[in-house]
Structure formats: structure tokens, C-alpha cells
């Protein structure tokens, strides 16, 4: 189980996470939703060991985040991060070198599915192709936890379908999936649990069906209610 | 160890183009230098001598930039997510940077010795026509006979100092990245911290030398016949022994402190 306990993460005067408490259980598929700047990426980076909490703790299987958790948790960040010299085949070698759970056949199948060629230079890929590569490399790990940070960001409609299908195929009872997005609608068909984050704290969490039954509303309506609407502002901005 | 070797491999691969450019570039200049020497093409000879001298003097700074760069770029650019996402402890990761630094430094010294050796041999042949390479090497070895202990101590001292300096810079980088995050002042603060850490280390070094210097510094001119004895006398009698000891202790301390900061506090 991946657990955040009283986690505070500050950047200067701003708190990205403000006494956050949440757990992610094995075998479930979570949507981590919230507007930009709500703390979703910081949460994932803490779980990936790339960012350290200012206070509180993040543990996986009751162990602090470190070499052990990194061998069990696969993380895909929003930014491009592969070395400039690499071709897609070098990315495959890198993952195979460092991650015992990396399945090369699965990676090659995913590349084929995403219409990517192993000889392509990573630096020359379009943003959409780079995103597909990151997702292929992450999903090719047969990790216990797979975290995808905004996997559909900047992807065209057809690409979104490819990615959603790849994620659906990759989900399995042995793995926990945490997929972040600032829009819930696009994840609705993939996930069975939702964690809504606002101002660095969890404002709503639970199974989709339970939440719908409890509040008598769709998740999208709840999302709009929690994060508000700026319809009132738009008229002012456009001078109407 | 396997993970460490893999990180070394990728730190070398990351900059393979730059490393190859230095290797090929210096090789071409050396070849031009030899050709100019043999054909007595004076203008080319002078130009190549100047370039080789500049390359020799700048080699240290290039090595320093490379050694620091392989860590600082991982801390400041998103590509750092690659090594830091792997199931590796910071001890292994930082250890791999030091090993990479030592490998590249050793390769640079071998290259300098090779080019220097060729040029010296050509110069010696001019003074003594018909001089064979084997005889020239034997003469040099004979000259060095009896000094191997001092040479070994000097080399060990240089390595210890080099590693200690690189680790001091790593500590300053890790500290400033931890304290300032993504601030643009990070580079400047790292430099300030590096100066600060060096001042503290100099003071410690001075105090230790004052206290222990007289105890260790004995009998430099002791009689010694075998290489082992020469080494032992040189090591025991030279102030370098104290310097090596200090550098090793400081390097180990700084290494563990940098690893702890990187593992527990540093956010990318």
C-alpha cells in the first residue's frame, strides 16, 4: 500500500501539499484529479522519490520511499526527460538495465501499437510521440504501482484513444494504477476510484459508485461543484 | 556493484559525443604536430605547439567541468529524473559519478602521457640520431629507479585531493539545490557554499597538521633499498601521508553527508 501521512511540501511560501493524508490500495485504478497547481504532480513525485516532503511521510509497503519502492513503482512524469543522445531503442536498453520488471516484448508491442519506430531519435519526437514513448516505457514495467501524470496532456484525439486503450489493456488485478488529470471526464471509463485534490489536500475520495450513490450526482458534477466555475468571470473578461 | 557500473556506463554514454570530439580533435592536432615536425613545416609546427599547450593547460578545467557537470545537470535538468527514478541508493549514484570522473581523468592523463611521450622521443632523437624507442624508455625507467615510492605517494595524494575536491563541489551543489530548489541563484550560492566548505576544511587541515604534523613527519632520508622500503619511507616520512589521510577522511565524511542530503532532503 502506498500511503501519505500528514505530508506537507512547501516551495518557498507556497504549500504544494498541506497536511495530506491518503492511501492507495493494491489492485485498484485511481483517478487523481484536480486543477493545475492542486498538488497532483507533487504527490506523484514524492511517491517516485524525486521530491522529498518538507514534513510527514510517504511509505510504500511500510517502507520509506527509496531504492525498494523505486523497484516497485513505475512513474511517468509530464515533462520530457530522456537523454538527448537516445534513440527509442536506447530507452528500451536503459529500462531493461535498471528495472527487473521491465518486459522488453511488451515494450516492443506497445511501440507497434503506438506506431513508434525503435530507431527514432528521442530528441526529434513530437510532443505527442514523446508522450506515447513515455507511456510505453512505463506500462512495459510490470510494476506493483504504475503512476501516470497527465498522460493525455497535449495529445490529439486519436492519440488519446490509443493511450486510453493501452492503459485499459495494461490494468491488472496485481497492479495499482494512479492516473492524474485536471479533467475527470477523460478518465471516467478507466478508473474505479477517485481522489480529488484541492490546494494540496484531499477533498473527496472513494469508489466511483459509492460517491455517486452518496451524493446523488455524477462525478463530473461533483468536480464542477468542488472546483467551482469561472462562468461569471468570462463575461467580464470578454466585455459582455 | 552492477548498478554502479550501469550508471557509470550511462554517464559516459551521455557525453560520448563530447568525449569523442576531444579524443579525435586532440589526435588530429597531435598528428599534424608530428607531420609538421617531420616535414619541418615551421608555421604548422608552431601553431600545433600552441594548441597542444593550451589543451594541456585547459585539460584540468575541462575535466573539472565534466566531473561537476555529470552531477549538477542531473540535479538541475529534467534528465536527472532518469537516474534518480532507478532503484538505486544515492550512495551508489554518487559513487558512480566519482568512478566516472576517475575513469575520464585517467584516460586524459594517459592521453597526455602518450602525446608528451611521442613528442619527447622525437626531440630526443633529434639530439641523439638513431635513438631507439626501447633504449629511450629504459633510460627513463633507470632515471626513475629509486623514486617509485615518492611517485606512488604523489599519485595517491593527487587522486585523494581530486576526489575530495569533486565531492566538496557535489556537497555544495546538493546543499544549494536543497535550500533553494529551482531558484536562479542556485549556481551562485553553490559557489559560495563551496568556498565556505573549503574554508572550513582548510581550517581543520591546519589544526590537524599543527597537532599531528610533527608526529608523522619523521626520517625522510632514511636508508632504503627495495621498492617496498622506498615506498614505506616515502609514505611515512612525507607530509603527503598526512595530506592523504586528511583527504581520505574528509572525502569519506563529505561523501556520506552528500549522500544523506541527496537521499533525504533533495528535491529535483
Amino acid at each position: 500500500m502506498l500511503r501519505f501521512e500528514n505530508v506537507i511540501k512547501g516551495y518557498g511560501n507556497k504549500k504544494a501539499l498541506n497536511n495530506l493524508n491518503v492511501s492507495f490500495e493494491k489492485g485498484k485504478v485511481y483517478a487523481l484529479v484536480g486543477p493545475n497547481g492542486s498538488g497532483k504532480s507533487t504527490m506523484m513525485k514524492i511517491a517516485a522519490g524525486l521530491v522529498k516532503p518538507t514534513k510527514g511521510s510517504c511509505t510504500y509497503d511500510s517502507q520509506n520511499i527509496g531504492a525498494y519502492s523505486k523497484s516497485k513503482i513505475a512513474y511517468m512524469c509530464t515533462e520530457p526527460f530522456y537523454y538527448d543522445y537516445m534513440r527509442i531503442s536506447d530507452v528500451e536498453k536503459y529500462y531493461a538495465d535498471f528495472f527487473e520488471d521491465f518486459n522488453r516484448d511488451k515494450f516492443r508491442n506497445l511501440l507497434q501499437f503506438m506506431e513508434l519506430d525503435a530507431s527514432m531519435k528521442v530528441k526529434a519526437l513530437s510532443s505527442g510521440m514523446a508522450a506515447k514513448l513515455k507511456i510505453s516505457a512505463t506500462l512495459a514495467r510490470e510494476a506493483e504501482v504504475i503512476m501516470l501524470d497527465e498522460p493525455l496532456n497535449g495529445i490529439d484525439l486519436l492519440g488519446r484513444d490509443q493511450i486510453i486503450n493501452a492503459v485499459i489493456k495494461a490494468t491488472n488485478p496485481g497492479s495499482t494504477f494512479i492516473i492524474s488529470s485536471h479533467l475527470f471526464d477523460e478518465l471516467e471509463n478507466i478508473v474505479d476510484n477517485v481522489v480529488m485534490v484541492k490546494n494540496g489536500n484531499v477533498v473527496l475520495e472513494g469508489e466511483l459508485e459509492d460517491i455517486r450513490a452518496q451524493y446523488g450526482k455524477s462525478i463530473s458534477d461533483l468536480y464542477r461543484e468542488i472546483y467551482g466555475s469561472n462562468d461569471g468571470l468570462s463575461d467580464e473578461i470578454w466585455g459582455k | 556493484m552492477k548498478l554502479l557500473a550501469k550508471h557509470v556506463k550511462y554517464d559516459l554514454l551521455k557525453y560520448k559525443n563530447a568525449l569523442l570530439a576531444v579524443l579525435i580533435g586532440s589526435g588530429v592536432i597531435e598528428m599534424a604536430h608530428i607531420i609538421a615536425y617531420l616535414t619541418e613545416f615551421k608555421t604548422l609546427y608552431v601553431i600545433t605547439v600552441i594548441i597542444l599547450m593550451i589543451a594541456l593547460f585547459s585539460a584540468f578545467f575541462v575535466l573539472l567541468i565534466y566531473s561537476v557537470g555529470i552531477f549538477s545537470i542531473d540535479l538541475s535538468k529534467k534528465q536527472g529524473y532518469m537516474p534518480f527514478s532507478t532503484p538505486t541508493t544515492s550512495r551508489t549514484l554518487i559513487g558512480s559519478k566519482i568512478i566516472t570522473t576517475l575513469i575520464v581523468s585517467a584516460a586524459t592523463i594517459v592521453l597526455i602521457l602518450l602525446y608528451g611521450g611521442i613528442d619527447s622521443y622525437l626531440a630526443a632523437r633529434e639530439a641523439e640520431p638513431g635513438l631507439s624507442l626501447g633504449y629511450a624508455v629504459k633510460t627513463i625507467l633507470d632515471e626513475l629507479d629509486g623514486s617509485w615510492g615518492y611517485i606512488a605517494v604523489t599519485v595517491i595524494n593527487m587522486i585523494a585531493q581530486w576526489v575530495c575536491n569533486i565531492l566538496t563541489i557535489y556537497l555544495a551543489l546538493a546543499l544549494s539545490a536543497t535550500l533553494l530548489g529551482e531558484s536562479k541563484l542556485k549556481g551562485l550560492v553553490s559557489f559560495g557554499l563551496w568556498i565556505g566548505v573549503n574554508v572550513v576544511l582548510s581550517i581543520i587541515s591546519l589544526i590537524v597538521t599543527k597537532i599531528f604534523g610533527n608526529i608523522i613527519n619523521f626520517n625522510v632520508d632514511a636508508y632504503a633499498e627495495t621498492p617496498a622500503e622506498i615506498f614505506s619511507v616515502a609514505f611515512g616520512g612525507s607530509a603527503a601521508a598526512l595530506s592523504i589521510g586528511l583527504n581520505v577522511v574528509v572525502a569519506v565524511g563529505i561523501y556520506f553527508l552528500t549522500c544523506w542530503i541527496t537521499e533525504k532532503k533533495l528535491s529535483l
Side-chain angles (χ1 to χ4, degrees), chain B:
Chain B
M1 277 308 274
K2 263 187 179 177
L3 277 174
L4 187 138
K6 283 172 187 171
H7 281 294
V8 169
K9 179 178 100 177
Y10 283 101
D11 271 334
L12 291 171
L13 275 174
K14 258 190 289 183
Y15 302 104
K16 63 177 178 184
N17 291 342
L19 293 170
L20 272 173
V22 169
L23 192 68
I24 294 168
S26 63
V28 167
I29 294 162
E30 178 63 19
M31 286 292 285
H33 177 70
I34 294 167
I35 291 166
Y37 176 82
L38 295 174
T39 57
E40 295 182 1
F41 185 178
K42 283 195 175 162
T43 313
L44 182 62
Y45 181 79
V46 171
I47 290 169
T48 53
V49 165
I50 291 169
I51 295 173
L52 285 170
M53 291 306 281
I54 292 170
L56 179 67
F57 288 117
S58 56
F60 169 77
F61 295 103
V62 174
L63 268 178
L64 190 68
I65 290 166
Y66 174 81
S67 309
V68 173
I70 56 175
F71 187 55
S72 71
I73 290 174
D74 278 356
L75 297 188
S76 58
K77 307 265 185 200
K78 294 300 172 210
Q79 69 168 39
Y81 286 4
M82 288 202 82
F84 280 98
S85 294
T86 60
T88 314
T89 61
S90 58
R91 288 194 303 278
T92 305
L93 203 57
I94 292 171
S96 74
K97 309 279 179 203
I98 296 297
I99 303 288
T100 310
T101 293
L102 289 176
I103 290 171
V104 176
S105 304
T108 308
I109 289 166
V110 167
L111 207 62
I112 290 169
L113 287 177
L114 179 70
Y115 293 166
I118 293 169
D119 297 347
S120 304
Y121 173 62
L122 290 174
R125 254 178 66 132
E126 195 173 63
E128 199 178 317
L131 177 73
S132 73
L133 184 61
Y135 184 74
V137 171
K138 189 182 176 304
T139 309
I140 292 167
L141 290 177
D142 287 346
E143 282 295 316
L144 293 174
D145 200 23
S147 311
W148 289 114
Y150 289 102
I151 291 170
V153 169
T154 307
V155 170
I156 292 168
N157 196 17
M158 278 169 66
I159 293 169
Q161 264 178 359
W162 181 239
V163 171
C164 194
N165 276 323
I166 299 296
L167 280 168
T168 311
I169 298 172
Y170 283 6
L171 174 63
L173 288 167
L175 267 175
S176 69
T178 304
L179 297 172
L180 296 172
E182 291 185 2
S183 164
K184 285 177 182 170
L185 288 172
K186 209 163 60 177
L188 193 68
V189 173
S190 300
F191 185 68
L193 283 169
W194 176 65
I195 303 251
V197 171
N198 267 310
V199 168
V200 172
L201 292 179
S202 301
I203 293 167
I204 294 170
S205 169
L206 196 72
I207 293 167
V208 173
T209 313
K210 282 272 181 202
I211 298 170
F212 297 107
N214 291 333
I215 301 168
I216 292 176
N217 198 4
F218 67 94
N219 204 10
V220 178
D221 302 319
Y223 175 75
E225 267 187 343
T226 65
E229 273 183 283
I230 293 163
F231 182 81
S232 159
V233 169
F235 193 86
S238 166
L242 188 61
S243 174
I244 291 168
L246 257 179
N247 278 316
V248 169
V249 170
V250 169
V252 169
I254 289 179
Y255 169 72
F256 281 108
L257 182 59
T258 310
C259 292
W260 182 81
I261 290 171
T262 308
E263 187 91 32
K264 303 285 180 195
K265 302 286 173 192
L266 196 146
S267 294
L268 294 183

Side-chain angles (χ1 to χ4, degrees), chain A residues 103-148:
Chain A
N103 185 330
R104 294 182 95 145
D105 291 334
K106 198 171 173 184
F107 180 70
R108 285 171 195 167
N109 289 338
L110 279 161
L111 286 185
Q112 211 171 6
F113 179 70
M114 301 282 192
E115 295 162 38
L116 293 171
D117 192 308
S119 64
M120 287 169 158
K121 281 279 269 184
V122 167
K123 208 179 166 183
L125 295 178
S126 67
S127 60
M129 289 165 113
K132 287 177 184 175
L133 170 61
K134 283 190 297 181
I135 287 167
S136 303
T138 311
L139 293 182
R141 277 187 67 188
E142 286 162 352
E144 289 178 6
V145 178
I146 292 178
M147 299 191 299
L148 305 173

